[in-house]
Amino acid sequence: MGVLDKFKSKMDSLKNTYQKIDASVKITCKKCGYEAKAYDLIENFYICPECGNYYRMGARDRINLLTDKNSFKELYKGLTSKNFLEFPSYQDKLKKATSDTGEEDAVVCGTASIGENPCAIFVMDSKFMMASMGSVVGEKITRLFEYAIEYKLPVIGFTASGGARMQEGVISLMQMAKVSGAVKNHSNAGLLYITVLTDPTTGGVTASFAMQGDIILAEPKALVGFAGRRVVEQATKSQLPDNFQKAEFMLEHGFIDAIIPRPELSNVLSELLILHKRSV
Amino acid sequence: MNPYEKLKATRKSDRPTSNAYIQEIFDSPLELHGDRRFSDDLAIVAGVGFLGKYPVTFIATEKGKPDLQDRMARNFGCPKPDGYRKALRLMKQAEKFHRPVICFVDTQGAFAGADAEERGQGQAIAESIMEMMGLKTPVISIVIGEGGSGGALALASANKVFILENAVYSVISPEGCASILWKEASPENVAKAAECLHITAQDMKNLGVAEAVIQEDFENFSDMCEMLKNKLIEAVEELIDFSEEDLLEQRYRRFRKFGVFEEEKKGFFRKK
């Protein structure tokens, strides 16, 4: 057994342990109150077996469910946020988010294959400071697009975000243009970019790379919008429909290509990757 | 003035708005209307004219004259998606005819109404920013009052950005920031947020977000505009000789550098 294989089997056993621990835990559905065993929930793509409610997923869980086994290779580990504006309690929030999620910041990037089709992938993690976008998120995604241009890879991006990260001030805003520039270069190189909008995708992320995909997919009932619902209500001074800013609403108004149920995502993405392969 | 006072000053109704600058700076400006898709959003004023001897396209967010009627017609300078689509249409036109684009930014932000959401506010801004990053003609933006978040960036993904000395530029309005972080947008909280967010022209210079800070002199507005005009001509002359490739590269590098973070360097495992 080579060093790499040993390492892999070690990782697999670690994963099993992690799942065993989780198996005893019960998670209550926020919608219907049903108590599902964590293990069953994972088997069911984090969808409530009772009412069909979609749970928000961590970035790692999503990568495990979506990509071919052992195909994910993480890129740009070791980038962490800095409180360069000395914004009150930013450092504490970062610390708490890291200890809650085990992540360094709100996005995980790497390469992987889906149905044996290679791609570059980024997944935002709403459990990390509501996946707000600061320097680290902007830098990692920009690097990923630059990498994808160099290696001629399609990019698949799972978005979720409360928007730009206030604690990094205008520099967070600049990330929108920075990533957009990299997306533009990737697009000009004739490469495919698919975004999958997950709950919730809002603010500066909606107003930049979430909406720049060649193909824009969304999970059912995911919240997708620019301004917050409360803000819109104040501006409009009227009741908004229940499905306002939901994926279904966005589909109806022509802003996304398709809504794909979570269990089908892997297959649909794989099909799309095959469809965009250039014949040699 | 402290940051909060500066913010309030940018909202005073007697502060010159984009139209005043357009009239002073450009020769024979002609306003062009409409997004060719849905409507003509008056929160965006755009058109063609001469900057000295150079034909240019100008695009601006316009808050309106001090009277309420005009301000309402212009939605207080908060563009809807139609406004950003009008702006993009005219940027593309400028690209076709190799005209530099001059943008004036003065907005609290993109409009947050139900109609704006329905017509894809996020998509409109996203497209504007992405297309600006690839626009094969020089783009220069000036923040003349409020630079409010994504709605401002949609007209400021430029080769060069100037800002007036008491103008502000922010990722979120200090009111919004205060109400999210400290539950209440009381004047004290908003003042604190304005401080923490680093929104002043001097902050922009320090952070590299603006290349130059322009002195204000509203008493002698014509003289001030003359100076700004010369500054713009200087910038156009610098950029106009760039090849298309160099122009795009310069813009990409300009934004590529933004970001402050820690990077752990693990020699052995470190990937490119």
Side-chain angles (χ1 to χ4, degrees):
Chain A
M1 203 187 248
V3 178
L4 203 62
D5 291 321
K6 268 187 194 162
F7 178 69
K8 273 182 189 161
S9 78
K10 175 84 181 154
M11 285 306 288
D12 277 342
S13 72
L14 266 177
K15 244 183 246 166
N16 287 337
T17 338
Y18 160 77
Q19 290 200 346
K20 262 176 210 154
I21 295 165
D22 267 3
S24 61
V25 178
K26 283 190 172 178
I27 301 175
T28 313
C29 176
K30 274 184 193 158
K31 256 225 164 110
C32 71
Y34 180 81
E35 282 191 7
K37 280 186 192 153
Y39 187 79
D40 293 342
L41 207 57
I42 295 168
E43 290 279 278
N44 205 32
F45 299 90
Y46 288 88
I47 301 169
C48 174
E50 189 67 15
C51 71
N53 177 37
Y54 277 50
Y55 284 68
R56 288 178 183 174
M57 286 176 76
R60 304 278 161 186
D61 287 341
R62 192 172 286 277
I63 289 165
N64 286 340
L65 273 181
L66 191 84
T67 59
D68 300 344
K69 205 174 174 203
N70 298 331
S71 73
F72 180 70
K73 292 186 182 59
E74 187 168 358
L75 290 169
Y76 321 125
K77 269 183 88 75
L79 262 66
T80 48
S81 294
K82 201 174 159 178
N83 189 9
F84 59 95
L85 294 181
E86 292 170 11
F87 204 99
S89 59
Y90 183 28
Q91 208 66 49
D92 301 337
K93 282 179 184 165
L94 285 169
K95 244 185 224 160
K96 185 175 183 309
T98 301
S99 79
D100 286 355
T101 61
E103 299 298 344
E104 293 171 329
D105 211 288
V107 70
V108 177
C109 295
T111 57
S113 62
I114 299 174
E116 293 180 7
N117 306 290
C119 61
I121 182 168
F122 70 85
V123 182
M124 300 181 83
D125 196 324
S126 63
K127 291 172 182 161
F128 193 104
M129 286 187 76
M130 200 32 92
S132 58
M133 170 173 56
S135 297
V136 170
V137 170
E139 180 69 20
K140 284 173 85 167
I141 297 176
T142 302
R143 284 189 194 182
L144 188 73
F145 274 96
E146 290 173 341
Y147 181 96
I149 295 167
E150 190 178 342
Y151 294 96
K152 297 188 168 55
L153 286 171
V155 174
I156 291 178
F158 281 79
T159 62
S161 184
R165 191 172 291 172
M166 298 181 283
Q167 291 86 348
E168 293 187 19
V170 75
I171 295 300
S172 295
L173 185 69
M174 294 301 117
Q175 303 308 309
M176 291 166 65
K178 176 166 122 182
V179 177
S180 298
V183 174
K184 182 72 185 167
N185 290 346
H186 184 258
S187 177
N188 284 349
L191 297 164
L192 171 69
Y193 171 35
I194 301 174
T195 54
V196 185
L197 315 181
T198 71
D199 190 62
T201 296
T202 62
V205 168
T206 301
S208 61
F209 55 86
M211 285 290 162
Q212 291 165 348
D214 297 295
I215 293 177
I216 303 176
L217 307 176
E219 288 198 327
K221 302 213 171 72
L223 177 78
V224 179
F226 175 64
R229 189 185 172 102
R230 245 184 332 138
V231 182
V232 178
E233 252 164 1
Q234 278 166 11
T236 312
K237 293 181 184 73
S238 65
Q239 276 278 302
L240 299 167
D242 280 346
N243 77 343
F244 186 71
Q245 292 183 326
K246 289 287 157 75
E248 292 72 15
F249 174 91
M250 296 301 280
L251 183 75
E252 195 183 308
H253 287 92
F255 290 101
I256 57 179
D257 288 292
I259 294 172
I260 309 292
R262 198 176 277 168
E264 291 166 33
L265 260 177
S266 178
N267 275 339
V268 169
L269 288 171
S270 160
E271 289 293 323
L272 282 171
L273 289 172
I274 292 167
L275 194 122
H276 285 84
K277 271 187 188 160
R278 279 178 231 174
S279 47
V280 199
Chain B
M1 284 197 278
N2 67 33
Y4 184 42
E5 285 161 353
K6 287 186 178 184
L7 174 75
K8 285 194 287 191
T10 65
R11 294 174 181 166
K12 280 207 178 120
S13 61
D14 59 354
R15 190 182 168 93
T17 59
S18 295
N19 265 333
Y21 291 88
I22 290 167
Q23 292 308 323
E24 285 285 341
I25 290 174
F26 303 110
D27 294 326
S28 47
L30 177 68
E31 190 177 350
L32 303 174
H33 290 271
D35 66 351
R36 300 292 190 275
R37 281 166 170 74
F38 182 78
S39 77
D40 182 38
D41 184 348
L42 297 179
I44 297 271
V45 167
V48 289
F50 281 92
L51 174 72
K53 62 175 182 177
Y54 299 101
V56 297
T57 292
F58 56 85
I59 301 173
T61 51
E62 173 58 45
K63 285 182 171 175
K65 294 193 198 84
D67 68 278
L68 190 61
Q69 210 77 40
D70 193 48
R71 295 215 143 209
M72 279 170 70
R74 300 192 183 278
N75 202 24
F76 303 92
C78 297
K80 295 182 181 180
D82 332 325
Y84 291 111
R85 291 184 184 123
K86 168 161 82 171
L88 183 56
R89 173 176 84 81
L90 292 167
M91 283 184 211
K92 287 287 188 187
Q93 186 189 73
E95 180 181 53
K96 177 177 173 184
F97 297 107
H98 307 286
R99 282 195 293 265
V101 178
I102 314 289
C103 295
F104 297 84
V105 176
D106 184 17
T107 179
Q108 283 196 34
F111 186 55
D115 55 344
E117 292 290 321
E118 266 172 20
R119 295 203 295 280
Q121 190 66 285
Q123 187 275 339
I125 296 170
E127 188 178 15
S128 185
I129 295 172
M130 182 166 154
E131 291 306 316
M132 279 185 96
M133 291 308 290
L135 206 71
K136 293 172 187 153
T137 196
V139 186
I140 302 156
S141 299
I142 313 140
V143 183
I144 58 162
E146 263 184 297
S149 190
L153 183 66
L155 295 186
S157 304
N159 293 94
K160 280 179 187 291
V161 176
F162 301 152
I163 184 165
L164 298 199
E165 62 175 314
N166 293 316
V168 297
Y169 197 3
S170 182
V171 65
I172 184 171
S173 72
E175 287 85 354
C177 177
S179 78
I180 293 171
L181 287 181
W182 306 308
K183 305 285 175 245
E184 200 197 338
S186 62
E188 299 76 45
N189 286 349
V190 176
K192 184 178 162 197
E195 190 82 44
C196 295
L197 285 165
H198 290 71
I199 61 173
T200 67
Q202 291 66 38
D203 292 321
M204 296 310 120
K205 188 82 186 11
N206 295 341
L207 293 164
V209 172
E211 272 77 10
V213 176
I214 309 284
Q215 270 191 342
E216 289 175 8
D217 185 3
F218 299 140
E219 306 277 292
N220 303 296
F221 188 63
S222 291
D223 295 346
M224 176 194 158
C225 284
E226 189 62 31
M227 203 193 69
L228 179 54
K229 179 179 169 181
N230 290 333
K231 196 101 187 141
L232 286 171
I233 291 175
E234 202 181 291
V236 164
E237 284 177 342
E238 186 191 325
L239 293 167
I240 211 150
D241 289 332
F242 278 43
S243 68
E244 285 179 355
E245 203 178 304
D246 289 349
L247 196 65
L248 294 181
E249 182 66 15
Q250 189 272 349
R251 201 180 299 135
Y252 188 66
R253 290 294 143 209
R254 185 184 187 280
F255 286 93
R256 184 68 186 84
K257 69 173 193 274
F258 293 121
V260 185
F261 49 84
E262 306 270 6
E263 182 159 20
E264 196 182 312
K265 300 218 190 292
K266 286 180 273 184
F268 186 70
F269 284 110
R270 196 167 169 253
K271 295 233 168 92
K272 192 173 160 311

